[in-house]
Amino acid sequence: MTMFQKVLIANRGEVAVRVIRACKEMGVKTVAVYSTADSEALHATLADEAYCIGGPRASESYLNTDAILTVALESGASAIHPGYGFLSENVEFAQECSDHGLVFVGPSPEVMRRMGDKDEARRTARAAGVPVVPGCDLLESAEQARDEAERIGCPVLVKARAGGGGRGIRKVERPEDAPAAFETASAEAQAAFGDGKCYMEKFVSPAHHVEVQVIGDKHGNVLSLGERECSVQRRNQKLLEESPSPCPALSEDVRLHMGACARDLARSVGYEGVGTIEFLLDDSGSFWFMEMNTRLQVEHPVTEFVTGKDLVKWQLRVAAGVPLGSSQEDICVAGHAIECRINAETADFRPSCGGITMLHVPSGPWVRFDSSLYVGCVVPPYYDSLLGKLVVYSPTREEAIRKMRSALGELVIDGVECNAYLQLDLLSNGEFLSGNYHTNLMERLYE
């Protein structure tokens, strides 16, 4: 069980930089891939080797599996870390890696297929004794969507079984609206993920979006590393996350039960690697499984702060066959961490792009900014709007909020517009400050 000598990072931006830094600390050589739009990107500069794999659009480069595999083999890499987004949950790519003798840093293709299919994941969760949101299995027609909406009781959600990022989801208020919602969600999912299959579940409101971080090794060991509150969302896209969850309904008994359910589900499928199991929690303390993300999450730094564990290093070790070497009793969650996603967008939520002319990053004890920005770099229009993640840690939530406000006030990014002002506004909202906020907070405040 030896660590990889060289790893290719099949991604860009802040997550590619994050993985490269972890590899450097572990003495592992790194290979970056980049598009023509990213020829001067930070991740291409920091890696030991960097190769251009195509044009600016993701389909020409970061989704070009043939080019990525060719670079991996020619450069002598033994593993590929997919980051998140792009190919991170692509079962076919994971299988191709295995077929070419490369380690895919993540779960096996079989587990990815099983848990990435949200309909199959729901059935798997039920079999493992984990509570699941009431709903139905895959819909075959618009007419069936109407019938199921009437049976389940509106409001309901039509949800794509594949993909993520808020795409392929439609809310239905009346049964007669279900056929159109089904057809729209299915078409969107087909265009985005190549799979238009959808299922339906009850829309739980008001609700909290709480997720549990898990990690499993190749020796049957599974650990949970606390939970994250992810209820600050706009159009199903997370904006701010914190750990532990401040939700009053999440009593210690509920927290322990949720963690046990997450471990049971991961163990039931033989999960290997880092993953996240997402739950809906209501104000009574009842919770239901929603889905599993079979990859590293954008919000992983808050878990790293409160547990003291480097999740990317753990990912790499587990993928290399190293046992976790810890028990659940060894995992201690202490203090409070908050992450604000800094997105390139205007005040009316439109994308912003351009060259960075000024950059000042806040610092100080327990302040972290995961980003690939530097003065002179260009934020292109082809990719996700995430500029970076500002993360803080303090002994208490109240102090963490004050620290984040201070850090946001100090952050300067000129050349593109960003949403730092919005994050400051959220951190002053009374409902957020109470800790008892729900997934509809952004909708009520800003839409």
Side-chain angles (χ1 to χ4, degrees):
M1 299 178 188
T2 58
M3 185 47 57
F4 308 116
Q5 297 301 305
K6 185 182 287 189
V7 173
L8 182 144
I9 298 89
N11 216 298
R12 66 177 300 278
E14 61 89 13
V15 68
V17 172
R18 170 74 182 89
V19 176
I20 289 168
R21 287 172 173 160
C23 287
K24 285 179 178 288
E25 292 177 24
M26 300 175 78
V28 176
K29 292 189 179 299
T30 53
V31 180
V33 291
Y34 61 90
S35 71
T36 53
D38 279 340
S39 59
E40 297 182 2
L42 185 60
H43 75 280
T45 304
L46 291 180
D48 296 293
E49 303 171 42
Y51 301 89
C52 183
I53 54 170
R57 299 190 183 280
S59 59
E60 302 167 338
S61 51
Y62 298 107
L63 295 176
N64 186 340
T65 57
D66 288 344
I68 291 170
L69 290 167
T70 298
V71 169
L73 294 169
E74 291 296 319
S75 66
S78 53
I80 294 181
H81 194 301
Y84 36 71
F86 293 134
L87 298 169
S88 61
E89 294 179 285
N90 187 301
V91 178
E92 290 72 26
F93 179 65
Q95 186 62 59
E96 284 188 271
C97 289
S98 177
D99 292 344
H100 286 85
L102 298 164
V103 175
F104 179 85
V105 180
S108 69
E110 293 74 23
V111 171
M112 288 177 66
R113 185 177 292 107
R114 188 172 179 183
M115 300 311 292
D117 179 333
K118 294 178 177 58
D119 176 67
E120 174 68 18
R122 283 165 51 87
R123 292 197 294 270
T124 302
R126 280 197 295 264
V130 179
V132 174
V133 178
C136 71
D137 294 336
L138 293 181
L139 297 165
E140 298 298 331
S141 66
E143 291 73 21
Q144 185 190 5
R146 182 187 59 242
D147 294 342
E148 290 292 348
E150 191 167 357
R151 180 187 67 81
I152 297 167
C154 289
V156 295
L157 292 176
V158 178
K159 301 179 73 173
R161 73 172 179 180
R167 289 173 292 183
I169 300 176
R170 290 296 182 276
K171 183 180 177 183
V172 178
E173 297 284 0
R174 305 176 303 168
E176 54 265 36
D177 298 331
F182 165 74
E183 290 174 348
T184 303
S186 179
E188 184 175 78
Q190 182 65 42
F193 315 121
D195 183 348
K197 291 290 187 180
C198 294
Y199 63 98
M200 187 178 288
E201 66 182 23
K202 181 72 175 175
F203 178 68
V204 180
S205 181
H208 308 269
H209 183 141
V210 180
E211 60 187 29
V212 177
Q213 178 72 65
V214 295
I215 184 168
D217 63 20
K218 297 180 183 297
H219 309 276
N221 302 304
V222 177
L223 302 176
S224 59
L225 290 85
E227 83 286 340
R228 299 184 286 256
E229 176 71 53
C230 304
S231 296
V232 179
Q233 304 177 9
R234 180 178 181 272
R235 298 184 179 178
N236 300 304
Q237 294 275 17
K238 300 168 188 172
L239 285 174
L240 181 154
E241 302 94 356
E242 55 183 320
S243 182
S245 169
C247 175
L250 195 66
S251 66
E252 190 58 27
D253 287 345
V254 174
R255 178 176 277 112
L256 290 172
H257 185 203
M258 187 179 286
C261 283
R263 294 193 299 275
D264 288 346
L265 178 54
R267 194 176 292 112
S268 74
V269 296
Y271 194 83
E272 299 174 8
V274 165
T276 298
I277 297 177
E278 304 195 344
F279 297 95
L280 280 178
L281 171 75
D282 71 12
D283 287 336
S284 73
S286 297
F287 64 86
W288 302 271
F289 168 79
M290 284 196 298
E291 63 186 50
M292 182 176 193
N293 289 298
T294 56
R295 54 171 169 77
L296 189 69
Q297 290 277 87
V298 174
E299 57 270 25
H300 74 273
V302 293
T303 296
E304 293 182 324
F305 262 154
V306 297
T307 62
K309 306 297 184 183
D310 187 317
L311 293 184
V312 176
K313 290 182 181 177
W314 275 36
Q315 261 192 310
L316 291 165
R317 292 188 188 109
V318 164
V322 178
L324 289 171
S326 299
S327 66
Q328 190 60 46
E329 291 71 29
D330 297 325
I331 304 301
C332 176
V333 175
H336 200 91
I338 301 174
E339 172 183 287
C340 287
R341 300 193 189 195
I342 307 301
N343 296 328
E345 61 185 28
T346 64
D348 56 353
F349 304 108
R350 295 182 181 275
S352 179
C353 57
I356 301 299
T357 57
M358 169 64 181
L359 176 66
H360 175 73
V361 175
S363 59
W366 307 110
V367 177
R368 168 176 167 180
F369 188 56
D370 282 16
S371 177
S372 62
L373 294 181
Y374 61 88
V375 174
C377 77
V378 174
V379 178
Y382 307 104
Y383 313 115
D384 185 270
S385 64
L386 185 67
L387 294 174
K389 303 171 325 197
L390 187 56
V391 196
V392 302
Y393 171 84
S394 289
T396 66
R397 182 174 188 256
E398 292 74 17
E399 186 177 327
I401 290 172
R402 291 194 295 269
K403 186 187 287 281
M404 181 60 84
R405 285 177 182 158
S406 175
L408 285 166
E410 191 177 332
L411 177 67
V412 177
I413 302 174
D414 287 345
V416 298
E417 295 187 61
C418 76
N419 66 339
Y421 68 91
L422 175 65
Q423 299 284 13
L424 273 169
D425 194 44
L426 279 167
L427 288 162
S428 300
N429 176 264
E431 191 172 338
F432 174 80
L433 294 174
S434 74
N436 193 28
Y437 57 94
H438 303 85
T439 54
N440 63 355
L441 177 66
M442 287 290 295
E443 180 181 352
R444 292 191 297 100
L445 291 180
Y446 302 104
E447 297 183 15

